[in-house]
Amino acid sequence: MAKRHILIDPAQPSTSKQSRPPPRTNWELYILCQAETDEPLQCPLRSTMKPSGSGYASLTEDLLQFKGLRHMPMELNVNRLDDGDGVEATLRTHSAQWHKKCRLKFNKKMFDQQSRAESASGQQSSTGTSPVHTRSVASHRLPQSTEPICFFCNKPAGTADLHEAATKEIDKNVRRCATELGDTELLAKLSAGDMIAIEAKYHRNCLRALYNKIRPAALKDEDADRLHGIAFAELVVFMEDMHADEDNAPVFKLSDVANLYKTRLEQLGATVTNKIHTTRLKDRLLSVLPDLRAHSQGRDTLLLFEKDIGPALKKACDHDSDAMHLVRAAQVVHREMFQTRFTFDGTFHADCQKYSVTPSLLALVNMILDGTNSKH
C-alpha cells in the first residue's frame, strides 16, 4: 500500500503516531472517553440555566488549556473534537455529551496540579538532576482522582462532610450572592449548569461564609430604613403638635414638608442622594394622619386638617357676605338715582339741592356717618 504524503510541522514532535491525522469522533458515544456505559450523562443543551449550552464554552476552555501540557488526564486528542469551526461550535453542532467523572478530570484543580508537576519536572531537567519517580509525583503527572470536592473552596471533605445540592433554592441563592459580590470564579462554575444538574457538593461552613459576605450590605439597607422611619415619625409628631395649637389652624405646603423631611434625614446621618418623592411622602402622611387632607392649588399642594377646613370656609364666606352687601347697596342707590328725573329750567329752586339727592343715597350716607342706631 502506497504511503500518504503529509506536511510535517517542525514545531511538532516528529513521531509517526503524532503525525497521523486525528481519528474521527463517534458523536453517538460520549465524546471524552468514546465509551458506552450506564453512568449518568451531562449535556449543556439539556440544562435549564441561561445561556443555553454555556457548558460547552467552559469545557472548550479547559481542554485547550490541557492541550498545552505534555500529559493529558486521559487519552484524548483534542483535534478530533474540531470539525473546522472550532471546538465549541463543533460540540454544539453535535449536541455533545459526556460522563461526569470524565469532565471532572479536566477542571481547574487538575490543570493546576499538572502544571506544577510539569514545571517542577522541567526545572529538574534543566539542572541535570534526575527526578525521583515517587508515587506522589506520578499522581501529579497523571491525576486520576475523582474524589468529590467542595464547590466553593475546591477542597475535599476532610473532617467536615460534603452535602449535595438538592433544591433549586440553593442554586438560586448562590447565583444571587455571586452576582451581587461580582465573584467571577463562582459565576464561571455556575455557568456549567445548575448545582443540582452538576451534582455540586459543598461544606456547610463554605455556604454559610458566602451568605455572610452579603449580610453587611443588607445591614446597611436596614440602617437606612430605620433612619427614614425615625425622620418620618418626627415629621408626623411635628404636624400633630402644630395642629394642637388652638389659636392657629396650620396649613402646610408639601414642598416645605419634603424639605423638612430631607433636612432631618441628613441630620440623622442618612445619605440622601435623590430628591424626596413628594407624592409618596404625601400618601404616607395621609395614611398615618386620617384627618389630614390634601388640596391642589396651582403647582403647589396644601396639607391641612379636616376640622380646620370648616372655619376657613366660614371665614371666606363671611368676607364674601360683606362684599355682597356692599354690592347690593350700590345697586339700590344706582337704580334709584337713574330712575329719578330732574329738569333744569334755567333757575335754581329753594329746595333743589335737597331733592337732587335720592332718599336711598341720603339714608346710606347717614348710616355711614351715624351708624345704624335708630336713636340718632
Side-chain angles (χ1 to χ4, degrees):
M1 180 177 179
K3 292 185 178 181
R4 182 172 50 185
H5 293 80
I6 59 173
L7 181 64
I8 302 299
D9 185 358
Q12 298 293 333
S14 58
T15 61
S16 60
K17 182 178 180 180
Q18 292 184 349
S19 299
R20 297 173 185 171
R24 297 180 60 85
T25 300
N26 185 352
W27 297 102
E28 296 181 358
L29 298 178
Y30 314 127
I31 62 167
L32 297 179
C33 63
Q34 289 286 275
E36 187 173 2
T37 64
D38 295 332
E39 298 179 24
L41 300 175
Q42 292 180 340
C43 179
L45 293 180
R46 292 198 296 266
S47 175
T48 59
M49 305 309 298
K50 302 295 183 180
S52 177
S54 58
Y56 291 131
S58 60
L59 176 61
T60 301
E61 182 180 356
D62 292 339
L63 290 177
L64 294 179
Q65 282 184 328
F66 276 94
K67 185 179 179 182
L69 300 178
R70 294 195 300 270
H71 300 280
M72 298 283 280
M74 61 187 299
E75 186 175 354
L76 173 66
N77 190 334
V78 179
N79 293 331
R80 70 173 173 82
L81 301 178
D82 187 357
D83 289 346
D85 297 327
V87 176
E88 181 182 352
T90 303
L91 296 179
R92 288 178 179 271
T93 302
H94 294 284
S95 301
Q97 52 188 354
W98 50 79
H99 297 118
K100 178 185 175 182
K101 70 174 185 178
C102 296
R103 177 66 178 91
L104 290 175
K105 295 179 181 180
F106 293 92
N107 58 25
K108 186 177 184 300
K109 180 182 178 182
M110 295 297 186
F111 176 77
D112 292 340
Q113 291 178 350
Q114 183 68 21
S115 298
R116 287 194 297 268
E118 293 191 3
S119 177
S121 176
Q123 291 177 358
Q124 291 174 347
S125 299
S126 62
T127 58
T129 305
S130 299
V132 179
H133 295 282
T134 63
R135 184 175 182 179
S136 59
V137 173
S139 64
H140 283 296
R141 182 175 297 173
L142 295 173
Q144 299 291 336
S145 174
T146 58
E147 181 182 2
I149 59 175
C150 176
F151 187 74
F152 302 108
C153 67
N154 297 325
K155 296 180 181 179
T159 57
D161 294 334
L162 287 176
H163 302 271
E164 187 169 350
T167 64
K168 289 186 176 294
E169 193 67 24
I170 292 180
D171 180 80
K172 178 181 177 181
N173 291 336
V174 170
R175 289 180 185 276
R176 177 176 57 83
C177 294
T179 303
E180 292 182 6
L181 296 173
D183 191 333
T184 55
E185 182 178 355
L186 185 55
L187 289 172
K189 293 180 182 179
L190 293 169
S191 66
D194 61 82
M195 295 180 65
I196 301 177
I198 63 178
E199 300 180 9
K201 296 177 175 59
Y202 59 90
H203 296 117
R204 284 184 176 176
N205 289 338
C206 294
L207 180 62
R208 188 179 299 112
L210 177 66
Y211 289 162
N212 289 337
K213 287 181 181 179
I214 64 170
R215 186 166 297 174
L219 291 177
K220 290 182 180 179
D221 294 339
E222 292 178 1
D223 291 340
D225 293 340
R226 180 175 58 84
L227 294 178
H228 277 264
I230 293 174
F232 181 75
E234 292 181 354
L235 179 62
V236 171
V237 172
F238 166 74
M239 297 180 70
E240 289 178 338
D241 290 342
M242 296 297 294
H243 177 52
D245 188 355
E246 296 181 355
D247 297 330
N248 298 301
V251 178
F252 307 96
K253 187 182 290 187
L254 182 58
S255 58
D256 295 338
V257 173
N259 290 333
L260 180 63
Y261 178 61
K262 180 180 179 181
T263 301
R264 186 54 183 150
L265 280 174
E266 294 173 346
Q267 292 174 349
L268 291 173
T271 302
V272 184
T273 56
N274 299 324
K275 184 179 178 181
I276 299 298
H277 198 293
T278 54
T279 302
R280 294 176 186 167
L281 180 61
K282 179 193 69 175
D283 293 340
R284 291 179 66 188
L285 290 171
L286 293 177
S287 64
V288 174
L289 299 171
D291 295 335
L292 192 66
R293 298 292 181 267
H295 298 275
S296 298
Q297 186 178 22
R299 299 179 61 181
D300 295 328
T301 299
L302 302 180
L303 302 174
L304 66 161
F305 289 90
E306 186 175 16
K307 80 170 190 177
D308 297 327
I309 297 177
L313 293 176
K314 184 177 183 302
K315 187 175 181 180
C317 291
D318 290 342
H319 288 296
D320 292 343
S321 179
D322 292 341
M324 291 301 298
H325 289 317
L326 291 175
V327 171
R328 296 296 184 190
Q331 288 178 340
V332 171
V333 174
H334 179 272
R335 183 174 60 252
E336 190 171 342
M337 287 177 63
F338 282 89
Q339 286 178 352
T340 303
R341 301 295 180 180
F342 296 97
T343 303
F344 182 66
D345 56 2
T347 59
F348 293 98
H349 300 285
D351 296 329
C352 63
Q353 292 183 351
K354 176 181 178 181
Y355 293 111
S356 64
V357 179
T358 60
S360 59
L361 178 58
L362 182 61
L364 178 61
V365 173
N366 288 332
M367 284 189 288
I368 294 174
L369 295 176
D370 301 329
T372 58
N373 194 341
S374 59
K375 293 181 179 180
H376 290 286

